[in-house]
Amino acid sequence: MSKKYVYLFSEGDASMRDLLGGKGANLAEMTKLGLPVPQGFTVTTEACTRYYQDGKTIAPEIVEQIYEYMAKLEEITGKKFGDPTNPLLVSVRSGARVSMPGMMDTILNLGLNDETVEGLAKATNNERFAYDSYRRFIQMFSDVVMGIDKNKFEAILDEVKEENGAKFDTDLTAENLKEVVKRFKELYKKEMGVDFPQDPKEQLLEAVKAVFRSWDNPRAIVYRRLNDIPSDWGTAVNVQSMVFGNMGNDSGTGVAFTRNPATGEKALFGEFLMNAQGEDVVAGIRTPQPISTLKETMPEVYNQFAEIAEKLEKHYKDMQDIEFTIEKGKLYMLQTRNGKRTAQAALKVAVDLVAEGLIDEKTAVLRVDPKQLDQLLHPTFEPNALKAAKPVAKGLPASPGAASGKVYFTADEAIEAAKSRGERVILVRTETSPDDIEGMSVAQGILTTRGGMTSHAAVVARGMGTACVVGCGDAKIDEQAKVMKIGDIEVHEGDYISIDGSTGNVYIGEIKTVTPELTGDFATLMSWADKYRKLKVKTNADIPRDAKVAVQFGAEGIGLCRTEHMFFDEDRIPAMREMIVSKTEEQRRKALEKLLPMQRSDFEGLFEVMGEFPVTIRLLDPPLHEFLPHTDEEIKELAENMGITFEELKATVESLKEFNPMLGHRGCRLAITYPEIAEMQTRAIIEAAINVKKKTGKDVKPQIMIPLVGELKELKYLKDIIVKVADEVIKQNNVEIKYLVGTMIEVPRAALTADQIAKEAEFFSFGTNDLTQMTFGFSRDDAGKFLETYYEKKIYEFDPFAKLDQEGVGKLVEMGTKLGRQTRPDLEVGICGEHGGDPSSIEFCHKVGLDYVSCSPYRVPIARLAAAQAAIKYDNRVGAE
């Protein structure tokens, strides 16, 4: 028997998400619950994977099954596909395992042609509705399946509206719409060289192929990369019998959430449009009405909907995002899924659902996406600055947060400004489309002049945690002229504006922002996370200010303090440069003596902030040339300041140049060449610890980390120096300080010989930035030039510097940890690269038994939550005590 690739909605359920996709599984589940779902069938994700394996063709047995299930759908509905008298029309929609709103494609009203449109008109006694559906189908099919620019169709529609004095699409008569259809078909023939396809079976197969193809369109690829979705999952295709919201004023369509997706408040939240189809609401073509007004216009339908919404929320035990259609006063449910929500709403909903007894604490912790917390950790407008500012326009508050930046009117310009010039950007569009995804991802904020709270811009911005204001009708955009007009005010490309995604207000110019207080639901959820996580979370911090932020966010120590950052200060760099150009050890020591009190003071500041939490300080790491000027002009100026000749300094600069400085004279190699550097830094660390212990009475815990070790003898040589200096200082001061000496594992050889290295190292910290760089054999600074091509060609699915490569670099981490603990069972092991704040990398660290992760201060809460989620997923013992 051949493999089953197609399932009726009545054959599936919610547990079949991997096979039927999220949408298909939920349609099947709603069917099981006896809800009014227009029936249909799902072509599985396996069929999509097979389509790509077979060179982008649908295998004959899959085609056969699609036609077989179409026949079953005809029996269920009592209509016939392609029949001129009683035609069955269907929608064809994508449905991946995880919700990807607006990323993939949908075709409505499929099955219409020149004959069936007449049949539909007679069967419904509504010619206007039939031709309205036909023009929608031609446009969607041409755009999604054949790739003809939808704006060409919009231009024709606008022409016909203008010719007939119609303000809205709904003002067009049946005759007007016939003219639209005629012109649409002419455009199709001009673009494609053939007539618009009249065979419904051909339409169906082409639509299914288009949905499969859309899994791999550029915006879907970007979305997958942003959300860690593997490319081999594929998408299912849902073929569902059409119900029509555009049959007149007793019909309509809408989208609603069981709770407010911006705030989490427990109340129905959504919008609907009468005499419209679903895409009209989502695309923001007309401005919809709030769901509460449905209570007045159709009380019975509203009550039925409210009852179903509550039933679905209780069934799924989560806030639902529901699509519905009303056809001639009858309610139909087209979709339900766990609703995308802001971080603030996610926390409130999770905490409230525990209070309501629907879920437990562990489930609540798993419900909040750690990456979303970013939204809460970043600034809002400073109250006084906000009072002084006057809004010039107001739209709908679609995604909370405050943003100031330079205006750009296209996604490409926004990307260029943000990535190439490092500008803060506000993306301003009439309405966003899925093609804008990358521009939206780099923007601080998004402003659209059209669309509602469930429009594409709103849903995507909420998912990304980006401030967003939609439906700002006061603003008019002229994309060609690169200007936005608000009354008499003109805002040109590159001008600053500020938007408030919590109020919908738009301001001219920049407004100062402040960091929010993290209390209430945030504090509650984080206390649950801390109860269940096993990994400790430390921070990467070089200055007391950053350390303070990290402690407020729950950091349990400093996992990486980079001492070189301290040397770049204006008052220190002269002494550093003096040390570098010194010709003798005596001269070097003299320069280092000037640096000693500065370093000691830096470390005192960090020890005071961290109290009894451990502080890991890495000895000098970068190559010395980084501290010197490179142009002749700068060299000349510095030579004069230092009282040496231009030629002498130039010769030093030249001698320090390396072909590949990242693999050159840096890290432990510097301290082996110039041991006096390690001596000075050790003295500064231990003296600072002693001073803070005397001052505060706290048991300060310094940990000295030697970077870039690849050989046990390197480590032993430097550890002997460190221990000698440290013990001398402790003895002289007669104060007990416990310190550890460990190493950063960032050279692959160190991971491979970790059992030897652990003979001397008292802790390991995986420096995954350099370890990734050396394992892959490419430069972190230059990889961006070719990684985009690798993503396009499916060689890599993600940036290995942002998300840990578990198969390669991860193997070294796991191996290094096991080998190290064979030698030293109590060895403390953590990571301190950028990966320490990435949720999927944190999950890996939990699985391989690391003790801690260390990340930047603003990522500490993200790491705490991700660590708790990993523990709940992979450790059944969690919470057992």
Side-chain angles (χ1 to χ4, degrees):
M1 191 185 149
S2 68
K3 188 179 175 75
K4 186 170 166 69
Y5 284 104
V6 185
Y7 290 77
L8 284 173
F9 294 167
S10 55
E11 294 178 303
D13 61 45
S15 69
M16 296 167 73
R17 170 179 286 271
D18 289 359
L19 187 65
L20 303 179
K23 191 172 291 185
N26 287 340
L27 284 165
E29 189 74 6
M30 286 200 291
T31 300
K32 249 174 90 173
L33 290 171
L35 300 183
V37 175
Q39 283 306 290
F41 56 85
T42 302
V43 186
T44 64
T45 55
E46 288 177 350
C48 178
T49 310
R50 172 91 187 265
Y51 166 81
Y52 283 103
Q53 285 165 354
D54 292 348
K56 298 191 181 176
T57 55
I58 302 182
E61 66 263 39
I62 298 177
V63 173
E64 209 176 290
Q65 287 185 37
I66 289 171
Y67 290 155
E68 182 194 328
Y69 277 76
M70 201 55 167
K72 291 183 181 184
L73 187 57
E74 287 175 337
E75 278 173 44
I76 293 166
T77 58
K79 297 174 180 180
K80 277 198 90 60
F81 194 48
D83 180 56
T85 53
N86 186 21
L88 168 63
L89 303 186
V90 294
S91 65
V92 178
R93 295 170 186 254
S94 62
R97 288 191 205 183
V98 290
S99 173
M100 292 172 64
M103 291 305 118
M104 292 180 299
D105 295 322
T106 294
I107 300 112
L108 303 179
N109 310 311
L110 189 138
L112 280 174
N113 58 24
D114 295 348
E115 288 185 340
T116 54
V117 70
E118 291 295 336
L120 184 67
K122 286 197 184 88
T124 57
N125 199 23
N126 189 338
E127 194 178 36
R128 190 207 168 279
F129 147 73
Y131 278 93
D132 182 49
S133 302
Y134 195 16
R135 65 96 185 169
R136 289 168 184 273
F137 171 55
I138 295 169
Q139 178 173 346
M140 272 190 174
F141 187 90
S142 304
D143 169 28
V144 170
V145 180
M146 309 312 292
I148 304 171
D149 183 358
K150 65 177 177 216
N151 291 324
K152 293 181 178 178
F153 293 94
E154 290 294 339
I156 291 172
L157 188 64
D158 287 344
E159 270 170 32
V160 175
K161 273 156 63 175
E162 206 171 303
E163 286 163 18
N164 293 282
K167 188 178 177 189
F168 296 111
D169 304 355
T170 43
D171 298 332
L172 294 170
T173 64
E175 290 309 311
N176 300 155
L177 289 163
K178 282 181 186 176
E179 180 59 28
V180 172
V181 165
K182 179 171 156 281
R183 294 191 200 177
F184 276 11
K185 279 160 61 185
E186 284 165 2
L187 172 62
Y188 184 94
K189 185 160 188 178
K190 184 180 151 204
E191 293 279 334
M192 303 307 300
V194 291
D195 287 325
F196 186 79
Q198 295 291 302
D199 177 0
K201 283 187 168 179
E202 182 195 337
Q203 295 173 357
L204 178 63
L205 280 190
E206 288 304 322
V208 170
K209 279 187 217 165
V211 173
F212 284 162
R213 279 199 309 272
S214 75
W215 172 251
D216 241 4
N217 68 31
R219 62 181 186 256
I221 291 168
V222 169
Y223 189 90
R224 286 206 297 272
R225 213 162 72 226
L226 290 172
N227 294 280
D228 288 337
I229 300 167
S231 66
D232 58 5
W233 279 6
T235 179
V237 181
N238 298 291
V239 178
Q240 188 173 22
S241 51
M242 281 295 298
V243 284
F244 301 97
N246 58 331
M247 285 184 89
N249 290 328
D250 58 354
S251 303
T253 186
V255 177
F257 294 83
T258 54
R259 299 181 189 228
N260 186 315
T263 64
E265 183 198 348
K266 190 178 179 181
L268 265 185
F269 174 94
E271 300 167 321
F272 74 102
L273 271 173
M274 296 312 284
N275 199 12
Q277 285 199 336
E279 289 302 297
D280 298 352
V281 180
V282 177
I285 291 160
R286 281 159 56 197
T287 300
Q289 294 186 291
I291 190 94
S292 52
T293 59
L294 187 63
K295 208 177 195 167
E296 294 141 35
T297 49
M298 292 183 146
E300 277 177 33
V301 170
Y302 177 84
N303 291 335
Q304 187 192 356
F305 179 76
E307 204 176 293
I308 289 173
E310 192 175 346
K311 184 177 185 175
L312 285 171
E313 183 173 277
K314 285 203 165 121
H315 182 75
Y316 284 102
K317 298 181 166 48
D318 201 359
M319 172 188 118
Q320 294 300 292
D321 167 0
I322 302 165
E323 283 181 26
F324 64 94
T325 284
I326 304 158
E327 180 183 284
K328 294 199 160 296
K330 182 168 167 28
L331 176 68
Y332 291 94
M333 308 303 288
L334 303 185
Q335 172 177 309
T336 192
R337 60 185 174 197
N338 293 340
K340 293 277 178 200
R341 62 205 83 175
T342 63
Q344 182 191 347
L347 291 168
K348 181 166 174 53
V349 171
V351 172
D352 285 357
L353 289 175
V354 172
E356 290 165 31
L358 278 178
I359 60 174
D360 61 14
E361 288 175 6
K362 286 186 191 176
T363 309
V365 167
L366 291 172
R367 282 283 167 83
V368 180
D369 177 358
K371 285 183 177 175
Q372 264 197 307
L373 293 181
D374 232 7
Q375 298 172 30
L376 300 176
L377 310 177
H378 289 290
T380 50
F381 288 134
E382 197 273 318
N384 290 332
L386 193 60
K387 267 182 207 160
K390 192 166 177 277
V392 292
K394 192 175 175 73
L396 300 170
S399 180
S404 283
K406 290 184 178 182
V407 165
Y408 288 94
F409 296 102
T410 69
D412 288 343
E413 281 157 355
I415 294 162
E416 171 70 16
K419 288 194 169 171
S420 303
R421 300 194 293 278
E423 293 177 1
R424 285 179 298 120
V425 166
I426 305 285
L427 180 63
V428 177
R429 307 282 283 141
T430 303
E431 58 198 318
T432 62
S433 78
D435 296 328
D436 294 324
I437 177 78
E438 202 173 351
M440 296 170 81
S441 76
V442 301
Q444 306 291 311
I446 297 157
L447 172 67
T448 69
T449 59
R450 287 210 304 228
M453 298 289 273
T454 51
S455 65
H456 174 266
V459 171
V460 174
R462 278 198 292 271
M464 288 177 170
T466 302
C468 179
V469 173
V470 298
C472 181
D474 301 336
K476 301 281 177 283
I477 294 171
D478 183 339
E479 205 179 290
Q480 298 306 110
K482 298 186 176 181
V483 66
M484 168 172 69
K485 290 182 179 169
I486 303 172
D488 299 332
I489 300 165
E490 286 195 354
V491 179
H492 297 269
E493 181 181 275
D495 289 352
Y496 276 98
I497 63 166
S498 299
I499 63 169
D500 190 335
S502 307
T503 61
N505 287 337
V506 179
Y507 306 85
I508 300 297
E510 283 186 278
I511 300 175
K512 193 180 168 198
T513 54
V514 289
T515 307
E517 291 291 309
L518 300 173
T519 50
D521 294 328
F522 179 89
T524 303
L525 192 95
M526 293 314 285
S527 72
W528 295 340
D530 291 341
K531 188 196 291 191
Y532 298 115
R533 73 182 161 90
K534 296 283 189 243
L535 279 171
K536 283 193 161 59
V537 177
K538 301 183 185 182
T539 190
N540 302 339
D542 311 330
I543 55 173
R545 187 187 66 222
D546 288 350
K548 271 183 194 139
V549 170
V551 169
Q552 282 163 2
F553 286 156
E556 301 160 290
I558 290 177
L560 174 64
C561 163
R562 306 170 186 87
T563 53
E564 59 273 5
H565 289 185
M566 303 165 172
F567 292 128
F568 285 100
D569 279 7
E570 256 176 73
D571 58 340
R572 302 170 181 212
I573 196 123
M576 188 66 185
R577 286 168 169 172
E578 189 185 318
M579 191 270 297
I580 293 167
V581 299
S582 298
K583 293 283 181 285
T584 65
E585 184 183 325
E586 193 187 339
Q587 287 174 334
R588 269 194 302 279
R589 286 189 182 278
K590 204 172 158 194
L592 287 165
E593 269 172 36
K594 294 178 188 174
L595 288 169
L596 174 68
M598 300 171 186
Q599 282 259 282
R600 186 171 55 227
S601 147
D602 291 328
F603 300 143
E604 284 171 358
L606 290 175
F607 289 137
E608 279 181 27
V609 171
M610 298 317 290
E612 297 197 349
F613 285 131
V615 176
T616 305
I617 297 168
R618 181 178 74 186
L619 299 185
L620 189 64
D621 185 43
L624 294 178
H625 77 87
E626 286 193 13
F627 299 96
L628 293 176
H630 299 293
T631 68
D632 282 358
E633 209 171 292
E634 289 171 333
I635 292 169
K636 191 178 171 196
E637 191 185 330
L638 180 61
E640 281 170 18
N641 291 343
M642 294 181 74
I644 58 176
T645 66
F646 167 78
E647 289 72 22
E648 191 184 343
L649 184 54
K650 173 94 171 166
T652 304
V653 170
E654 291 299 324
S655 72
L656 289 172
K657 276 189 182 162
E658 295 177 302
F659 283 113
N660 193 339
M662 289 318 291
L663 299 178
H665 195 192
R666 55 171 283 226
C668 64
R669 301 157 200 171
L670 272 178
I672 286 169
T673 314
Y674 308 117
E676 49 277 16
I677 297 177
E679 287 175 27
M680 181 278 285
Q681 290 198 293
T682 302
R683 181 173 290 280
I685 292 165
I686 300 299
E687 286 179 354
I690 289 168
N691 291 348
V692 172
K693 185 168 183 177
K694 282 179 180 172
K695 182 178 167 186
T696 64
K698 294 211 164 131
D699 201 5
V700 180
K701 294 188 178 71
Q703 301 190 342
I704 299 170
M705 182 153 74
I706 301 169
L708 222 72
V709 163
E711 158 62 52
L712 172 62
K713 288 174 191 165
E714 287 176 314
L715 178 61
K716 179 160 177 26
Y717 176 83
L718 288 173
K719 185 183 174 186
D720 287 349
I721 291 170
I722 290 164
V723 169
K724 184 170 176 280
V725 173
D727 289 353
E728 265 173 25
V729 174
I730 290 167
K731 194 176 172 188
Q732 282 162 10
N733 285 274
N734 200 22
V735 173
E736 196 185 334
I737 289 282
K738 286 197 174 72
Y739 66 92
L740 296 179
V741 181
T743 187
M744 209 165 180
I745 305 275
E746 48 197 328
V747 175
R749 191 178 188 277
L752 297 168
T753 60
D755 49 343
Q756 293 176 41
I757 286 178
K759 288 174 187 170
E760 294 291 339
E762 294 169 298
F763 65 88
F764 282 175
S765 177
F766 286 93
T768 49
N769 298 345
D770 266 344
L771 189 59
T772 297
Q773 185 162 239
M774 293 192 207
T775 305
F776 277 90
F778 51 56
S779 157
R780 186 171 34 154
D781 300 320
D782 301 317
K785 292 172 188 167
F786 60 83
L787 280 179
E788 284 300 327
T789 315
Y790 271 51
Y791 304 142
E792 278 165 30
K793 297 190 173 171
K794 302 270 178 52
I795 293 167
Y796 293 165
E797 281 191 26
F798 58 85
D799 177 352
F801 291 108
K803 179 182 164 189
L804 190 72
D805 158 48
Q806 296 181 16
E807 288 175 6
V809 180
K811 241 178 219 167
L812 290 171
V813 171
E814 189 170 7
M815 185 192 303
T817 304
K818 276 185 188 158
L819 288 172
R821 285 187 178 147
Q822 277 170 23
T823 302
R824 192 185 286 267
D826 62 346
L827 184 76
E828 187 190 44
V829 184
I831 71 165
C832 61
E834 290 301 309
H835 301 105
D838 168 63
S840 67
S841 308
I842 291 165
E843 187 175 288
F844 173 80
C845 293
H846 172 88
K847 285 200 284 185
V848 300
L850 266 56
D851 296 300
Y852 71 88
V853 297
S854 186
C855 56
S856 64
Y858 280 94
R859 296 190 78 77
V860 167
I862 295 170
R864 286 163 65 197
L865 182 55
Q869 292 183 349
I872 291 165
K873 281 188 215 168
Y874 294 101
D875 193 344
N876 294 328
R877 293 165 304 150
V878 165
E881 61 277 355

